[in-house]
Amino acid sequence: MSYTVHEVAELSGVTIKTLYHYQKIELLMPERVAENGYRYYGHKELKRLQQILFYRELDFSLENIKNALDNESDRLNCLYEQYSLLKAREQRLANILRTLEETIQHEKKGVPMSKEKLFNGLNQKEWEETIAYQNEHLQKEYGYEIDTSEIDAEVMNPKASEAVEFMSFMAASLKNGVSANDKSVLDAMEKHIKFMQQDMNIDAMGFAAQTRFLMTDDFHKEMMEGQQTGLSYYICFAAESYAAK
């Protein structure tokens, strides 16, 4: 069964002008064009339009949508990927709505909202953008990337604060000439590893191995060296000293 442009527009809610534009950029071509110039779309084209609209809900650009669909031979896999992305967005929006509802209730009662809850759900996007550059490096060098759809900003923020505190202490110790074997440095190392162990299976030897990797990986090494020259080596030596205890 074929559908005219007007019928497709009515079915999908997409304007006729948009459908013509999709044809112009070869994102969605009609099944056939009649001699009188009328465009007709089949069920295959309707399914492609559905996928286009799923991607539009995810804020994909038309160029990226075209690339995604042209390079995805399996419609079912594509749908699963879109479902995963939209489900993650649903969760983020649910968190934002929950914060908004609580804010409204506090405002109605004239009761100040706690600072811990004030920004719940609102900093997810910032974390995704922060990790995007790191993912580009990981994908290029190791064929791996961090799944940002699973990131919970409420969980990440305390981790980031602890990591900043640890790195700042280590950088200051290095700058002040404190030995990597000093008790204060090893105590800080122990505290940092115990914090990581709350949700990660890692021991002193594992952390030492991790620091050796970070010392040799250009992306992560530059991040540490930018904070304090020699910091990547200093942390690695301290980690190995602690692991040898």
Side-chain angles (χ1 to χ4, degrees):
M1 185 173 181
S2 295
Y3 305 88
T4 65
V5 172
H6 289 81
E7 289 173 328
V8 173
E10 186 176 345
L11 279 170
S12 65
V14 175
T15 66
I16 294 173
K17 181 179 179 181
T18 297
L19 290 171
Y20 284 152
H21 180 64
Y22 286 174
Q23 180 184 352
K24 182 179 179 181
I25 63 174
E26 298 183 350
L27 176 60
L28 179 67
M29 303 299 291
E31 180 184 46
R32 61 186 176 87
V33 179
E35 291 183 4
N36 58 8
Y38 283 14
R39 295 163 173 81
Y40 292 93
Y41 298 80
H43 192 63
K44 179 181 177 182
E45 287 70 39
L46 292 184
K47 292 198 296 183
R48 184 175 173 93
L49 178 58
Q50 182 198 48
Q51 289 183 275
I52 291 170
L53 297 180
F54 281 143
Y55 276 128
R56 292 297 285 164
E57 288 296 326
L58 290 163
D59 298 326
F60 276 48
S61 68
L62 294 181
E63 181 182 359
N64 287 340
I65 293 174
K66 187 175 186 304
N67 289 336
L69 293 179
D70 289 349
N71 293 321
E72 178 57 75
S73 58
D74 189 328
R75 171 175 160 82
L76 186 58
N77 285 340
C78 186
L79 290 171
Y80 275 131
E81 180 182 357
Q82 290 173 321
Y83 178 84
S84 177
L85 292 170
L86 284 168
K87 198 67 179 175
R89 171 165 292 193
E90 178 189 45
Q91 184 60 53
R92 290 198 297 272
L93 288 175
N95 291 337
I96 293 171
L97 282 171
R98 186 161 52 247
T99 298
L100 181 56
E101 289 166 358
E102 290 183 15
T103 303
I104 290 172
Q105 292 303 315
H106 279 78
E107 289 297 317
K108 286 172 67 176
K109 296 175 182 178
V111 179
M113 193 169 179
S114 69
K115 64 180 185 297
E116 289 79 14
K117 292 186 175 181
L118 203 59
F119 301 104
N120 283 353
L122 295 172
N123 40 21
Q124 175 78 26
K125 195 68 175 178
E126 182 178 350
W127 271 108
E128 292 179 2
E129 292 171 354
T130 299
I131 292 174
Y133 184 57
Q134 183 179 9
N135 265 343
E136 183 179 338
H137 168 76
L138 292 173
Q139 182 63 44
K140 179 181 177 181
E141 295 295 327
Y142 308 106
Y144 164 81
E145 64 181 40
I146 300 169
D147 183 4
T148 57
S149 69
E150 299 297 324
I151 289 175
D152 185 339
E154 293 181 40
V155 174
M156 292 295 291
N157 287 336
K159 291 183 179 181
S161 296
E162 192 279 335
V164 168
E165 181 182 343
F166 172 71
M167 295 292 285
S168 297
F169 175 83
M170 299 299 282
S173 298
L174 171 60
K175 186 175 181 180
N176 294 328
V178 180
S179 169
N181 293 311
D182 188 85
K183 184 178 183 302
S184 64
V185 173
L186 298 182
D187 285 347
M189 185 68 60
E190 180 176 21
K191 180 183 176 183
H192 181 58
I193 293 174
K194 284 184 176 179
F195 182 88
M196 295 175 68
Q197 287 173 338
Q198 292 178 15
D199 61 0
M200 182 185 299
N201 183 20
I202 190 170
D203 57 13
M205 293 297 293
F207 183 70
Q210 184 183 94
T211 61
R212 285 194 294 274
F213 165 75
L214 297 178
M215 187 176 66
T216 58
D217 180 74
D218 291 340
F219 177 87
H220 296 92
K221 181 180 178 181
E222 287 176 11
M223 286 178 61
M224 288 188 281
E225 296 299 303
Q227 186 170 347
Q228 176 66 44
T229 302
L231 183 58
S232 60
Y233 298 94
Y234 185 77
I235 291 177
C236 183
F237 295 153
E240 291 184 339
S241 294
Y242 178 76
K245 283 201 320 177

